[in-house]
Amino acid sequence: MSTESSSKESASFVGTLPKHVAIIMDGNGRWAQQQGKLRTFGHKAGVKAVRASVRYARKKGIKALTLFAFSSENWKRPKDEVTILIQLFNLVLASEVKKLNKNNIRLKVIGDLSAFDKKLVEKIRKAELLTENNTALTLNIAANYGGRWDIVKAVQKIADDVKQGCIKAEDITEDSFNQYTCMSDLPSLDLMIRTGGDHRISNFLLWQSAYAEFYFCETLWPDFDEQKFDDAILDFCQRQRRFGQIGAQVSSDNQGQG
């Protein structure tokens, strides 16, 4: 786990770039309050940071970017803020999907969509269909998503398949379980970033983050630009990922692959 780097130049990467990055986009409300404005103003300002992050990930060749837009717990927020968030989601879908498609970016929305109105769900499905064959980057938007929800849904699907005789309980493995989760078709999560200064993952990608690296920075989300993203990637590339081994083993394996 790390705080933000002091790098001011484009990162000179010495390690392997992450294939899959997730971001908890925190700090919109506080950013707005610092400007003397309503919290909802911060959510609107955060769209610029979303664009910058997508642009950066596409440019660097990152294969998957997952953004935590709206958690299953966010319904507890003030009603007017929730309304603005949903409206903003609608507007972004309308204004950005063609740009994503033009840049060969695939859009997926993960989460429990049953809580959204039918018109919004229809827009989501159309956007996913339009971009489904794009290959440069998969952009996952987590909306009404929770890590525990993802795991429970996977267990329910497995239980149903066992009941139907499609699989046997004793044949369930970590790999087969993963196939029932929201992002089974994507690379394993390498790096999770959280902006805004808090050091927790807030029920985000619990299954997927088992061996992810974590990067926490003080930057409030609307101020998270390509340079800040670069800092996080540089920090990631300087780490040694051991996956249960010791450092000497990892170094030996890397030399053998050279």
Side-chain angles (χ1 to χ4, degrees), residues 18-223:
K19 293 180 180 178
H20 186 175
V21 178
I23 306 178
I24 301 174
M25 307 179 292
D26 196 19
N28 288 333
R30 282 172 285 158
W31 183 89
Q33 289 170 341
Q34 288 178 4
Q35 314 295 317
K37 298 183 179 181
L38 296 174
R39 288 174 53 85
T40 51
F41 182 80
H43 295 303
K44 294 176 182 178
V47 174
K48 181 179 178 181
V50 170
R51 292 192 186 105
S53 294
V54 173
R55 184 167 58 245
Y56 178 89
R58 172 73 170 81
K59 180 171 63 178
K60 291 297 183 182
I62 293 168
K63 300 308 295 181
L65 176 65
T66 302
L67 302 178
F68 204 8
F70 189 84
S71 78
S72 49
E73 289 79 25
N74 284 159
W75 295 105
K76 302 173 185 176
R77 292 190 174 189
K79 186 176 180 180
D80 61 338
E81 184 171 342
V82 171
T83 300
I84 289 292
L85 284 169
I86 301 301
Q87 290 176 348
L88 192 58
F89 191 20
N90 265 295
L91 288 172
V92 170
L93 276 174
S95 65
E96 303 296 323
V97 172
K98 289 183 180 179
K99 296 176 187 176
L100 295 176
N101 192 46
K102 183 179 179 181
N103 285 283
N104 196 24
I105 297 172
R106 174 191 177 203
L107 177 69
K108 285 186 65 178
V109 179
I110 61 171
D112 183 6
L113 302 187
S114 65
F116 298 129
D117 67 64
K118 291 182 179 180
K119 289 185 178 180
L120 176 55
V121 174
E122 185 177 343
K123 285 183 181 180
I124 291 169
R125 296 309 182 204
K126 285 183 177 179
E128 290 179 328
L129 185 62
L130 176 66
T131 63
E132 66 178 352
N133 294 318
N134 294 340
T135 57
L137 170 70
T138 295
L139 173 62
N140 302 295
I141 303 296
N144 196 27
Y145 174 89
R148 290 178 177 177
W149 168 86
D150 194 4
I151 293 170
V152 169
K153 291 297 291 185
V155 171
Q156 290 173 341
K157 292 174 186 176
I158 291 171
D160 188 55
D161 278 354
V162 171
K163 183 178 179 181
Q164 298 297 325
C166 301
I167 58 173
K168 296 180 180 179
E170 57 267 28
D171 294 332
I172 299 169
T173 64
E174 289 185 16
D175 287 340
S176 64
F177 183 94
N178 187 64
Q179 296 305 308
Y180 290 86
T181 63
C182 275
M183 298 189 295
S184 59
D185 60 331
L186 297 177
S188 297
L189 182 63
D190 294 310
L191 172 64
M192 183 183 290
I193 300 168
R194 180 170 186 144
T195 64
D198 286 331
H199 291 203
R200 56 177 177 271
I201 62 174
S202 298
N203 194 24
F204 187 40
L205 303 181
L206 298 181
W207 172 264
Q208 293 84 355
S209 64
Y211 271 102
E213 297 292 321
F214 292 88
Y215 180 89
F216 301 101
C217 64
E218 298 294 324
T219 306
L220 301 177
W221 177 247
D223 292 328

